[in-house]
Amino acid sequence: MTTETAPEPYERLPEDWERALAIVAHPDDLEYGAAAAIARWTRQGKRITYVMVTSGEAGIDGLEPDKCRPLREAEQVESARIVGVDTVEFLGHPDGVVEYGVPLRREVSRVVRRHRPEIVITGNFRDTWGGAFLNQADHIAVGRAVVDGVRDAGNRWIFPELVEEGHQPWGGVRAVWANGSPRSGHAVDTTEDFATGVASLKAHAAYLAGLGQHPMAEVEEFLEGMGRAAGSRLGTRFASAFEVYPMG
């Protein structure tokens, strides 16, 4: 006879901050779990900016990238508006083939120095989502570059050309929060903002239509499953989970 061990409860994320920067690989990445948390934070008066490394132009099989790109950018801007985010930037890297390395670290560092956030939000960049469900290569490359680029942003001797561009070092990032990591240890209550998070994902209408019968196209069911699972470990109805990487 075996006894299953209950998962450890989540710790609550701190909310004594004012500015955050969310950097992810694709449009829709934030909407699969983090958007409801972002809606909560903007409702509190916090300022959050979105940065998409790609425009998700390879994400719809039946639509050529040049036609897909503006559509997905427009959907992301509307999705951000729904959760109270009015600044969305696209870095223009090619979707599906993002490479981790010095150029991407430099670009992340530049963005961090420009916006000077206290918290940086990204997506899960572990190899899997838990079990055998493999993560996607762009997610892994971008998340790694975010952690390293945030550290680089505080060091004036790394990428000195950024200082020449007028971007002074910024070492004020307290932590990087990776949403949806299988090693999450923290979470935030999203019960009041769950419906807003659902609406923000539904704004990616063309992308969701392109998924066909994929489980991720069943928006409310998919988000509810994740939200309830996280909430059960936080002691709330719904929650959004994050792995915390302290900086400083």
Side-chain angles (χ1 to χ4, degrees):
M1 181 176 180
T2 60
T3 302
E4 292 188 7
T5 303
E8 289 289 326
Y10 285 139
E11 294 183 39
R12 289 182 180 267
L13 286 171
E15 296 185 307
D16 59 338
W17 51 273
E18 297 298 327
R19 300 183 314 282
L21 179 64
I23 309 174
V24 293
H26 316 105
D28 82 74
D29 283 354
L30 289 166
E31 285 66 55
Y32 277 104
I38 289 167
R40 171 190 172 96
W41 293 325
T42 60
R43 186 166 52 79
Q44 293 173 347
K46 302 182 193 304
R47 172 79 179 176
I48 300 178
T49 298
Y50 282 6
V51 174
M52 308 289 134
V53 172
T54 81
S55 295
E57 68 276 8
I60 301 177
D61 184 67
L63 195 61
E64 295 178 0
D66 286 345
K67 294 180 180 178
C68 185
R69 182 179 295 105
L71 176 60
R72 297 213 65 196
E73 289 184 356
E75 289 186 342
Q76 181 60 71
V77 169
E78 172 59 13
S79 178
R81 183 197 65 78
I82 290 170
V83 296
V85 173
D86 58 17
T87 301
V88 183
E89 300 178 3
F90 299 90
L91 299 183
H93 287 249
D95 185 17
V97 290
V98 177
E99 293 184 292
Y100 170 83
V102 170
L104 186 54
R105 283 171 49 196
R106 181 187 296 110
E107 201 152 12
V108 168
S109 182
R110 180 184 288 113
V111 168
V112 169
R113 292 183 188 204
R114 278 200 295 112
H115 290 286
R116 308 177 86 77
E118 298 162 79
I119 298 295
V120 173
I121 299 164
T122 193
N124 172 38
F125 56 97
R126 297 289 182 180
D127 288 342
T128 74
W129 294 95
F133 186 19
L134 293 174
N135 202 350
Q136 196 262 357
D138 287 357
H139 299 158
I140 297 170
V142 169
R144 288 182 59 202
V146 166
V147 169
D148 291 338
V150 165
R151 289 183 295 189
D152 296 336
N155 188 331
R156 71 174 56 254
W157 307 120
I158 298 177
F159 309 132
E161 63 272 25
L162 297 182
V163 176
E164 295 173 7
E165 294 175 10
H167 305 304
Q168 293 300 318
W170 175 247
V173 177
R174 292 161 49 180
V176 174
W177 295 349
N179 178 246
S181 169
R183 298 189 187 180
S184 294
H186 293 72
V188 61
D189 181 2
T190 57
T191 303
E192 290 186 39
D193 301 280
F194 177 77
T196 305
V198 171
S200 73
L201 180 52
K202 286 184 175 180
H204 294 275
Y207 174 72
L208 292 171
L211 290 177
Q213 299 301 310
H214 193 284
M216 291 175 68
E218 300 298 325
V219 172
E220 293 188 50
E221 183 178 344
F222 191 88
L223 292 181
E224 185 168 332
M226 290 194 303
R228 286 190 184 279
S232 70
R233 295 177 63 180
L234 189 67
T236 62
R237 183 181 179 194
F238 294 115
S240 183
F242 294 81
E243 183 173 3
V244 171
Y245 296 83
M247 295 287 152

